[in-house]
Structure formats: C-alpha cells, structure tokens
Amino acid sequence: MNSIILFLIKSSIVFTLFYLVFQLILSKHTFHQLNRIILIAIIPFSLYVANTSTVIPITTNTIEIPAFTEMGTNFTTEISNGSTNVIHVKKSYNYLNLLFYVYILGVLFSLFSFVKSLLDIYTLKRNSEVKKLENYALIYSDVQEVFSCFNWIFIPKNNTKQVDNIILEHEKKHIAHKHTIDLFFIEIYKVFYWFNPFVYYYGKSLKSIHEYQVDSDVLRNQQLDITKYLGLLKTEIENTSRSNLYSHFRHPLIKKRITMITKPKSNTIQKLKYLLLLPLAFLCMVSFTKQNSIIPDLVLPKTTKDKDTKPSISPIKNITKADITAKFGPAKHPILKSMRHHNGIDFRAANGTPIVATADGVISNASYENKWGNLIIIQHENGYETLYAHLSKFNCKPNQTVKKGEVIGYTGSTGMVTGPHLHYSIKHNKEYVNPIDFIE
C-alpha cells in the first residue's frame, strides 16, 4: 500500500513538473503536432521514472535488499520452551490506510463517470440515424451542436439549416488525426490520478492543441479566407454541457484559437527550446531514483571488544520472547494460507518504540524499500549483517558507524504490514540464521 502511494506521488510530481515547463515555455509556439507528442509523452515518462529503481548501476560492493518474506503480525508462534501460544497484536490505526481508501473511492467515482460518458455516447449513436461514408459516419441525433467522436460526426437532426461545410471539414480533421484516442487515453489517466488538479488543466491544454492543429489544417487544405473562418468562430455560441471524450467546433477556447490562428508561425529555430526537456528528464530520473549503495570498509575502534561485533542483544530493549509474533523458519502465511520461509522474527511493539543496533557496525542502508518499508541494514565484522524493517523513521544515515545498543530508528508500520512491529533478521556469510540464537 505504501509503495503504491509513493509511486502515485512520484509520478504526479514528474507529470506536474513537465506540464508546467511545457505551459510556460513551449505552449505558445505553433508546432502543434510536436506539442501534441510532447504532452502525450509526459504521461508514460512520469510512470517510467516513478517505477525505475536505478539510473547509474553500480556493480561493486552493492547492498542486496532481500526479497520480501513478511509473515504478518497475528498468528500462532512456538516459543523455545516447546509450548504453543497465540499472541494477538492490537492493530493501531494507520492514517495511510484512510488515505488509500479515499484514493480508491476517487478512482471508483472517476471510473464510473468515464464509463457513463462512454455509454451515453454509445446510446446516443444507437438511437440515431446513421449515414456511413468512406472514412466516417454522419450521426443525426438529438444534439445541439456538431461534434466528433472516434469516426462519428454527430449532427443535430432538428437543425433546419444545412451544416456549414467548414464545420464538417473541421470535424473530419479531428477524425483523421485520431484525436479521440488521445482524449480516451487522458480520461483513463484521470481515473487513477483524479487527485492531481493539474491533470484537468492538462486535458484542456491537449484539447486546445487539437483545435489549433485542426484549424491550421482546415485553413491550409481548404484554402479558405481566414477572415471568413474567423467570422464563423466569432458567431458560434459556447454550449454548456459537453463530454470530455469528443471534439467540437464550438470549443470554449475560441479566443485562444483566434489568437493562435492570427499568430505568425514560429521560427524553426524555436524548436531548440524543446531540448530543455532533456536535462529536465535526466534531473527527474536522478532525483526520483536511487543508486545502489556502496559498502565502506568496516573500520571499528581498536578498543571494541569482540563480543560487541557479533549480534547478541534484542533490537528492542525490555522485550521478551513472549513478544515475538512470527518465528524464524517455515510457517503458514496468515493471509495466503501457504507455507513460506520467514527469514527473521517479528516483535510486536507500539509505534515509535526505539530500535537499537544489536552489534557494532556500519549502516549500509537506511531507506524506504517498497514492501519492507523503511529498512536499515548494518554490516558487522566476521560476515554478520542485521536487518531492521518497517520503521517509522530513522535515527541514522548510510555509512555511519554505530555502537552496540545505540538507537538507530523507531518501530512503525511502513511497507506491507497490518500494524506496527519490527521485523529483525541476521545474516552470517550471506545466509540467514535464526535471530533467537543470538539474543542473550
């Protein structure tokens, strides 16, 4: 859940950044097809950046993040004395759960609106007179204005006056450019990113580019008098209720269209401005992805005792084996109901409980790691490594030397969990070992 929210936030930031740069620097130019391509490309690029883990791979001394093997916080566990106890952990309220549920409700509402729009258009077509032509069809319907959707041109059937050929050519150009596919794509994106207000401005910008592109084509191909075309635009009255899935001549941005039509064509040299998107793209990839960490040489003070370099204490003070909610080894997953190997042990603990290093060492990782949530990995001497997962926050940073018993973070419920607890693992020579054997 946390990883989904983080992905949505990252991709929304990249999307918004590129859209704002486009609006401020590039949107005024008359390169309509190029602008259309750039706007459409923003969406897949933002999704790619948010889903990319590394930009510059580093293969030397990299940190290995273990595969997620969490067993949950509520199931039967066997204590070392041989008895079987059922330990129940009281789930604490997680505000991220509420945030996620609100997001899902928004998705469902947006999806309902999108499907309803599709059904409305389909119903309108089904109940209308259809006249099929070579590359499009004329749909005579109970509508107040001419508009196009996919390869259909809807025409008011009660209109006593003949539809102006210029308007028909305008809608035919929308069909030729397959603008409905763009709008369909944007509406799907809105379903999942309904919370980002810039998505709605983005949709308006794309529809404006569609109109600019068609206006330019109609004036060029039909060899129309620009004065007549502008006069037709000025006499058109805006309508109130329109779907986001179709294109129409009476677009609400008529003033901007007139400005763009009368504007001199942008000089080709202005296309160099679009190169500014390349360093911006690289900056986003560097900022929103991370490089693999490099493990520094483990240098401990000469006064360090051997017993302090081997994990030997509980990662949470004043805790007993009765507070273990998931043991090391094979166990039945509480949700999936299948046997899985748990590579550590889980301690129940209130949110914000201090976590200590179980031996002297160096912090090799302290970052958010998807299902593990906030994860700390400490490198120790003699091939030992300890892992601490699902923390609420860190009290250390990578490459920092820590002492046995030093507070390195606090328990939480980040990652894929049902409540606050600590997952604790020990590796010796890259093999997982039972942490219970190392707690004195």
Side-chain angles (χ1 to χ4, degrees), residues 62 64 379 382-385 426-433:
T62 57
E64 178 185 356
Q379 299 288 321
N382 302 319
Y384 284 101
E385 183 179 81
I426 299 178
K427 295 176 75 173
H428 186 221
N429 296 328
K430 298 184 179 181
E431 296 291 334
Y432 286 103
V433 293

Side-chain angles (χ1 to χ4, degrees), residues 63-69 343 369 372 375 377 385 387 423 425 427 432:
I63 299 297
E64 178 185 356
I65 304 301
F68 184 75
T69 59
N343 60 20
E369 299 294 342
W372 284 120
L375 175 69
I377 301 177
E385 183 179 81
L387 298 87
H423 172 87
S425 296
K427 295 176 75 173
Y432 286 103

Side-chain angles (χ1 to χ4, degrees), residues 207-225:
K207 294 192 78 171
S208 296
I209 290 176
H210 288 172
E211 297 302 324
Y212 301 157
Q213 188 176 27
V214 168
D215 288 340
S216 177
D217 285 355
V218 171
L219 286 169
R220 181 175 63 253
N221 297 337
Q222 299 297 320
Q223 297 181 346
L224 295 175
D225 179 21

Side-chain angles (χ1 to χ4, degrees), residues 55-113:
V55 177
I56 305 175
I58 301 175
T59 57
T60 305
N61 298 327
T62 57
I63 299 297
E64 178 185 356
I65 304 301
F68 184 75
T69 59
E70 185 63 276
M71 300 306 298
T73 58
N74 284 327
F75 63 91
T76 303
T77 181
E78 185 176 320
I79 307 303
S80 58
N81 60 11
S83 62
T84 301
N85 299 323
V86 179
I87 301 172
H88 299 283
V89 177
K90 183 179 180 181
K91 296 182 182 179
S92 67
Y93 180 77
N94 189 343
Y95 73 94
L96 286 178
N97 290 338
L98 176 61
L99 187 64
F100 186 74
Y101 295 145
V102 171
Y103 167 74
I104 293 298
L105 287 176
V107 168
L108 294 176
F109 178 79
S110 300
L111 182 61
F112 172 79
S113 300

Side-chain angles (χ1 to χ4, degrees), residues 14 44 96 190 204 218 245 385 417:
V14 176
L96 286 178
K190 284 182 182 179
K204 292 181 179 180
V218 171
L245 284 174
E385 183 179 81
V417 295

